[in-house]
Amino acid sequence: MKRIYLIKLLLFVIWACGPKNGNDNEDVGFDNSIGLSFIKLDSITIEFVGRPTVHDLDPISGIVIFMEHKEFSEDIFIADFDGNILSSFSKFGDMPDTYGKLMSNLKINGPNSFFVYGFRGFSSYDFNGNLLTFVKYDDFYVPSESRFAMGFGMEKISNKYLYINQEPRPTEVHQYKHHKLLTIVDPEIGKRSTVVGFPENSMFLNGSHFFSPSWFPVFTHTNNNIYIVLGFEPVIYVFDAFDPFKLKYSIPLDLPNYFFGKGTNNPNDTEFIGMMFTSGKIENIKLVDNFFILGYNPGYDELDTKLFYENKTPEETKIFRERMSKKYPSRIAIIDSIGKVINDFIPDGLEPSSMLLRNGELWMMEKPDEEEERDYFKLFKVGLKVEN
């Protein structure tokens, strides 16, 4: 009880003293001698042989929705929190109620339904695969890129959804200034509108060339704010969550031993693409109890970056990358409201990029076994734990 009381007291102090707007971003005086880490609170084990991608879960309905993405098929699975697979079906390919191809992760939107943002438009189905609603959008474009992974997808914002902008990426330096990073999706009337450009002080407007995944945005939304991190750049940008989506303030991050690419003046330089392998990158952001939780990869240090560009045989390249993967595993950083790192660690058996926040609960995917394929996968509910 003492531990629970202590963490509640600390969180209340931070909430009471933390910055309420961009003009009051001062040190809240968190005692760094008291750390925070993860504690596993609950788990879900689902028997499954294959490569599952968890799209969403809902603590209220007790439902997990996941898919197995293959080259010529996409099967949808509905499971409960006891690990039972309740139904499975496909809406991929040539069928009357198909969604076409996916634009985003599936999203549970009711006690017995889920929402699909697909090539054909906006669809909703029940958990047995019956089409409930369909709205065609008023424009169409092939997405420049899509990402299907646990912890990355649309977030509800009022009666709409917030997602990445999938229009063509800028290819020239001067195009960055006018490019929008996110999209507001309105499934009721079939409209999409792009919002939020690169902030003026972002390193991506410094005149250098960047490969587009360098600034792939990860975001989260709560109350009246949208929190965005742009790929390599160790900064949290805080925007209003309503039109005209103005930048309120930014929070620079001082992540320990974080090595990130600064761009290049020459887009034909080998470092232009090489940065995608050597640079640190922030892969997920969530806000829990007024703390930012970041999943990130730290990137290669200067020496290993030089070694990366040395000539190697294919076998030597494979060995080098395997060694770097073990040397620089992805990490979790717990950060307070002014950007101070409270703790930074490798989570035990959990995939940092997989953080999914639903109804105030934070869930993560267990890391797969690299040596042996399992006949199940496991999800963990995690919370913050005080460490003296």
Side-chain angles (χ1 to χ4, degrees):
M1 290 297 294
K2 181 179 179 181
R3 180 183 294 270
I4 295 172
Y5 172 77
L6 179 58
I7 190 169
K8 285 184 176 180
L9 177 61
L10 290 171
L11 297 177
F12 174 77
V13 169
I14 288 176
W15 174 83
C17 302
K20 301 300 186 295
N21 55 54
N23 299 319
D24 190 22
N25 202 17
E26 61 183 2
D27 193 326
V28 298
F30 186 88
D31 183 358
N32 276 359
S33 65
I34 300 174
L36 291 174
S37 64
F38 278 172
I39 182 172
K40 295 176 181 176
L41 301 173
D42 200 355
S43 65
I44 303 168
T45 301
I46 299 175
E47 293 184 1
F48 185 80
V49 178
R51 299 174 64 103
T53 299
V54 174
H55 281 232
D56 197 12
L57 60 80
D58 179 24
I60 295 177
S61 61
I63 291 295
V64 179
I65 185 167
F66 67 96
M67 297 186 71
E68 185 171 34
H69 297 270
K70 295 182 179 179
E71 186 176 0
F72 299 110
S73 66
E74 289 181 343
D75 292 327
I76 300 170
F77 297 84
I78 307 295
D80 62 24
F81 273 32
D82 292 324
N84 304 303
I85 294 179
L86 306 178
S87 63
S88 63
F89 47 88
S90 177
K91 295 298 172 183
F92 178 80
D94 187 15
M95 56 183 70
D97 59 352
T98 181
Y99 50 70
K101 293 184 179 180
L102 290 179
M103 299 279 281
S104 171
N105 278 11
L106 309 181
K107 187 81 171 178
I108 298 170
N109 67 343
N112 186 39
S113 64
F114 64 94
F115 171 66
V116 181
Y117 178 21
F119 272 31
R120 290 189 65 224
F122 306 116
S123 308
S124 64
Y125 302 85
D126 67 22
F127 291 158
N128 292 312
N130 299 305
L131 181 67
L132 301 176
T133 65
F134 172 72
V135 177
K136 195 171 183 177
Y137 32 70
D138 59 358
D139 63 338
F140 174 77
Y141 51 80
V142 176
S144 57
E145 58 186 305
S146 298
R147 179 183 175 188
F148 307 114
M150 180 174 174
F152 186 82
M154 297 175 290
E155 292 204 9
K156 194 76 180 288
I157 181 167
S158 185
N159 62 339
K160 303 173 184 178
Y161 290 94
L162 182 68
Y163 195 51
I164 59 170
N165 178 14
Q166 296 169 291
E167 293 176 340
R169 302 296 192 195
T171 56
E172 302 293 336
V173 170
H174 71 272
Q175 295 174 333
Y176 278 69
K177 186 174 181 180
H178 302 290
H179 183 72
K180 299 298 184 182
L181 298 164
L182 302 179
T183 296
I184 297 292
V185 173
D186 188 339
E188 293 184 1
I189 59 175
K191 286 192 175 294
R192 302 177 287 189
S193 56
T194 56
V195 298
V196 178
F198 287 98
E200 290 184 3
N201 59 343
S202 170
M203 75 174 193
F204 296 109
L205 295 183
N206 67 7
S208 297
H209 292 269
F210 292 92
F211 202 58
S212 64
S214 307
W215 44 265
F216 191 90
V218 293
F219 61 90
T220 192
H221 160 255
T222 181
N223 298 325
N224 295 317
N225 293 333
I226 298 171
Y227 304 92
I228 305 175
V229 181
L230 302 176
F232 294 178
E233 189 173 30
V235 179
I236 299 172
Y237 291 106
V238 185
F239 289 84
D240 283 326
F242 46 84
D243 194 56
F245 300 93
K246 289 185 178 180
L247 177 67
K248 299 174 73 173
Y249 58 93
S250 60
I251 306 172
L253 304 173
D254 187 17
L255 298 172
N257 300 312
Y258 181 69
F259 309 98
F260 62 100
K262 310 295 195 305
T264 177
N265 293 324
N266 181 6
N268 298 314
D269 192 336
T270 55
E271 292 188 13
F272 177 58
I273 296 179
M275 277 189 293
M276 294 309 306
F277 300 96
T278 64
S279 176
K281 186 176 183 180
I282 297 172
E283 301 169 325
N284 202 333
I285 178 173
K286 296 292 180 281
L287 186 64
V288 178
D289 294 329
N290 293 299
F291 290 97
F292 294 106
I293 316 293
L294 300 183
Y296 75 99
N297 186 275
Y300 298 2
D301 65 17
E302 185 176 355
L303 175 59
D304 286 330
T305 297
K306 289 180 180 178
L307 291 175
F308 172 84
Y309 291 105
E310 290 184 354
N311 290 328
K312 304 178 190 67
T313 65
E315 182 63 21
E316 288 171 337
T317 298
K318 179 183 176 182
I319 293 172
F320 176 79
R321 288 186 179 175
E322 289 176 350
R323 184 163 62 87
M324 293 299 99
S325 178
K326 293 178 180 178
K327 184 175 180 179
Y328 301 107
S330 291
R331 307 177 65 87
I332 288 288
I334 300 176
I335 296 169
D336 69 12
S337 59
I338 62 167
K340 184 185 296 181
V341 177
I342 305 302
N343 198 1
D344 181 274
F345 57 96
I346 301 169
D348 181 24
L350 300 174
E351 180 55 57
S353 65
S354 69
M355 294 185 296
L356 191 158
L357 188 64
R358 262 299 209 145
N359 300 102
E361 296 185 4
L362 185 65
W363 289 81
M364 299 178 71
M365 175 80 84
E366 182 180 41
K367 279 188 175 180
D369 190 322
E370 296 181 1
E371 304 297 328
E372 184 178 353
E373 184 180 26
R374 295 170 174 159
D375 59 0
Y376 68 91
F377 66 93
K378 204 163 188 174
L379 307 174
F380 284 94
K381 177 184 172 182
V382 300
L384 295 178
K385 177 182 68 172
V386 173
E387 292 185 336
N388 294 317

